[in-house]
Amino acid sequence: MIQSFEDLFIFQSARELCIKIYKITENESFASDYRFVQQIHAAAGSIMDNIAEGFERSGNKEFLNFLYIAKASCGEVRSQIIRAHDVGHITTDEFENLYNDTKKLSASIMNFTKELKSKGYKGFKYSEQ
């Protein structure tokens, strides 16, 4: 049974992605691109923050809206990963791993929204993911 947003698989995955993003931005080339670092940190944090904020709202409709925003932020991070690779801030291996992580997370968020819609939950007491 899910009792808090921390119990959600999508939140846990978003958290792991955020940690990976923070670590790769410590690379010397990336770290010197301050504005880009701020952008990708904000987008990665937005994924997990929107999942958390939506969960804490009182109803499904609001939660779904926040999940859509989280999914959009995941796309933003994916775009930024592509750009980081294009300008040489990350290696091809780092790019492929992060790109795959964002694709999986985006799909997981969408699957969770579909399930949430199909179950017809009305409040924030979700019995399964």
Side-chain angles (χ1 to χ4, degrees):
M1 181 178 211
I2 296 175
Q3 297 181 357
S4 70
F5 63 82
E6 294 96 331
D7 296 331
L8 294 170
F9 173 76
I10 57 173
F11 178 82
Q12 295 165 7
S13 297
R15 183 179 179 191
E16 289 172 18
L17 176 64
C18 198
I19 291 167
K20 288 178 182 180
I21 293 295
Y22 271 72
K23 286 185 180 176
I24 63 146
T25 58
E26 292 174 355
N27 295 346
E28 189 174 329
S29 167
F30 213 143
S32 64
D33 196 341
Y34 304 111
R35 187 162 188 276
F36 192 7
V37 169
Q38 289 175 337
Q39 285 180 315
I40 199 167
H41 283 183
S46 178
I47 303 167
M48 56 189 291
D49 294 346
N50 277 290
I51 293 167
E53 187 172 351
F55 185 90
E56 294 294 326
R57 298 289 177 132
S58 60
N60 246 17
K61 287 185 181 181
E62 285 183 296
F63 190 16
L64 287 168
N65 286 335
F66 279 92
L67 290 173
Y68 291 130
I69 295 167
K71 187 176 182 306
S73 293
C74 193
E76 182 180 356
V77 171
R78 189 164 58 252
S79 173
Q80 292 166 342
I81 290 165
I82 293 167
R83 185 166 30 127
H85 183 255
D86 288 348
V87 299
H89 287 329
I90 60 175
T91 67
T92 298
D93 284 344
E94 289 170 323
F95 165 76
E96 288 174 356
N97 288 330
L98 290 168
Y99 185 86
N100 290 333
D101 287 347
T102 58
K103 290 291 282 186
K104 288 177 190 172
L105 179 54
S106 184
S108 294
I109 293 169
M110 185 49 69
N111 289 337
F112 183 73
T113 61
K114 287 177 184 176
E115 185 173 336
L116 201 57
K117 284 181 181 179
S118 73
K119 298 287 182 173
Y121 295 120
K122 300 296 181 200
F124 58 86
K125 297 176 181 131
Y126 308 104
S127 61
E128 55 187 310
Q129 296 184 44

